[in-house]
Amino acid sequence: MAELTTRVATLVLLGAFVALSASCTSGPEHKDQNGAARLGGTPTAIIPTSSGGSPGTGPILGSNASGPIALPDRSLAIVSFTKRLQKSNQAEFVDISLTIRNEGQSSITNEPRFFSLIGRGGDVFSYQDNSSDDFYLPIDPHTSRTGLIEFEIPAAAAQGLQLLYRPDAPTDTVIARLVPS
């Protein structure tokens, strides 16, 4: 009797295994990108195709040590770059004096949101303060405006800084390496 029970249990388990195996390997048929049939669980490589656009343009690279950076409708000159350690809270004040010259035929805007600092590790710091209140007014054609902008950043992030200038015109984006003056 025990032998019969063992055989029945083995047959039941074997039948369950066969049924389970069959349900795992079969599935609805799908077609891949080339129209070939494949089972539902088979991975398929997806190959991207162009949607008809054109590649964008990257930022213009420069440095405060290389002179003014020419852009399509303006130029950006970093006059000076200094850092001041604030020991009480382990912060660093980064002061950047710069001149923006409008080379175009119409006014350009100049706003605090156009300026950020990028740290060596990829951290991005937003504008903090400006000591020249009129710096952020529109700049008329063939005129320039000079101002001092200030950032407060953690002292540990104050090495290898770059200025990110991203105005409304995407072709005028600049990443300028900052060398202490």
Side-chain angles (χ1 to χ4, degrees):
M1 184 73 140
E3 187 177 317
L4 182 62
T5 305
T6 304
R7 284 186 186 178
V8 170
T10 303
L11 288 174
V12 169
L13 287 175
L14 184 58
F17 177 73
V18 169
L20 183 61
S21 296
S23 69
C24 289
T25 57
S26 65
E29 186 178 277
H30 297 285
K31 301 222 183 242
D32 66 13
Q33 287 180 309
N34 300 321
R38 66 177 181 84
L39 293 177
T42 306
T44 300
I46 297 174
I47 302 167
T49 57
S50 173
S51 61
S54 62
T57 57
I60 297 167
L61 303 177
S63 169
N64 60 318
S66 63
I69 300 165
L71 306 168
D73 65 346
R74 65 194 82 190
S75 65
L76 175 71
I78 301 170
V79 179
S80 68
F81 158 65
T82 58
K83 299 184 292 186
R84 298 176 284 124
L85 180 63
Q86 179 70 23
K87 290 182 182 181
S88 64
N89 62 358
Q90 291 299 307
E92 192 96 19
F93 288 100
V94 177
D95 296 323
I96 303 170
S97 175
L98 48 94
T99 299
I100 298 175
R101 177 162 178 78
N102 182 351
E103 305 289 353
Q105 301 300 319
S106 58
S107 278
I108 59 172
T109 58
N110 186 34
E111 299 181 18
R113 66 182 172 87
F114 294 171
F115 302 94
S116 299
L117 280 182
I118 302 173
R120 182 179 296 168
D123 298 317
V124 178
F125 304 99
S126 298
Y127 159 82
Q128 299 291 318
D129 190 19
N130 179 32
S131 62
S132 50
D133 297 332
D134 63 343
F135 180 66
Y136 294 112
L137 296 175
I139 303 171
D140 292 329
H142 306 291
T143 62
S144 59
R145 174 122 348 102
T146 299
L148 177 72
I149 59 176
E150 184 177 79
F151 297 85
E152 182 179 357
I153 64 173
Q159 300 300 315
L161 295 173
Q162 299 179 81
L163 176 67
L164 172 62
Y165 174 65
R166 183 178 285 165
D168 289 332
T171 56
D172 288 349
T173 300
V174 171
I175 296 178
R177 187 173 50 89
L178 298 173
V179 179
S181 31

